[in-house]
Amino acid sequence: MITDDTTARPRTPPAMPNPQGSLNHGSANPLAQAWDDRIARLLDLLPKRVGDAIAWLRAPSRRWVRIPAALVLILGGFLAVLPVFGLWMLPLGLALLSEDLPGMKPGLERSARWLEAKWERVVAWWRRR
């Protein structure tokens, strides 16, 4: 039996069809579920040790570690002018914090979609040059 203390990466529950024919992931907000799916896909892209560490941190019982780590990362993101700190810390801290504040997930998913669209426009512009 697997508990929430395991270091195995959490898998997204399989989508189940609802009576209307669309998929239901069990979340009330489709954007929040899309954010969870995005994080699961990104964890699979990371090296095993890093992905397992983040999955360990995302476990519900790790709230006491996750919240301070998220706040430190967010504060570190604002210190991007210093050599060790950087803007990479801000989105990682927000993603960790969204595990405990689910109302953040739709906004983070909308932001990620906006950034992807902008990045695609920049890449298309660059290739046309």
Side-chain angles (χ1 to χ4, degrees), residues 33-88:
Q33 183 60 44
W35 177 255
D36 288 336
D37 293 344
R38 178 184 300 274
I39 295 299
R41 285 191 311 272
L42 290 174
L43 282 177
D44 287 339
L45 295 175
L46 291 173
K48 183 168 175 26
R49 288 182 81 175
V50 175
D52 287 346
I54 293 173
W56 178 86
L57 200 55
R58 291 182 70 213
S61 64
R62 305 298 195 280
R63 176 180 238 176
W64 59 274
V65 176
R66 184 174 50 247
I67 291 174
L71 294 175
V72 166
L73 285 167
I74 291 168
L75 290 174
F78 289 115
L79 299 174
V81 295
L82 299 174
V84 176
F85 302 102
L87 282 177
W88 63 270

Side-chain angles (χ1 to χ4, degrees), residues 65-119:
V65 176
R66 184 174 50 247
I67 291 174
L71 294 175
V72 166
L73 285 167
I74 291 168
L75 290 174
F78 289 115
L79 299 174
V81 295
L82 299 174
V84 176
F85 302 102
L87 282 177
W88 63 270
M89 298 174 87
L90 185 62
L92 182 58
L94 290 172
L96 278 177
L97 197 57
S98 74
E99 290 296 317
D100 298 304
L101 300 173
M104 291 177 61
K105 290 180 181 184
L108 289 172
E109 178 63 22
R110 279 192 293 274
S111 298
R113 290 178 181 184
W114 180 82
L115 282 171
E116 284 178 343
K118 291 295 178 188
W119 180 252

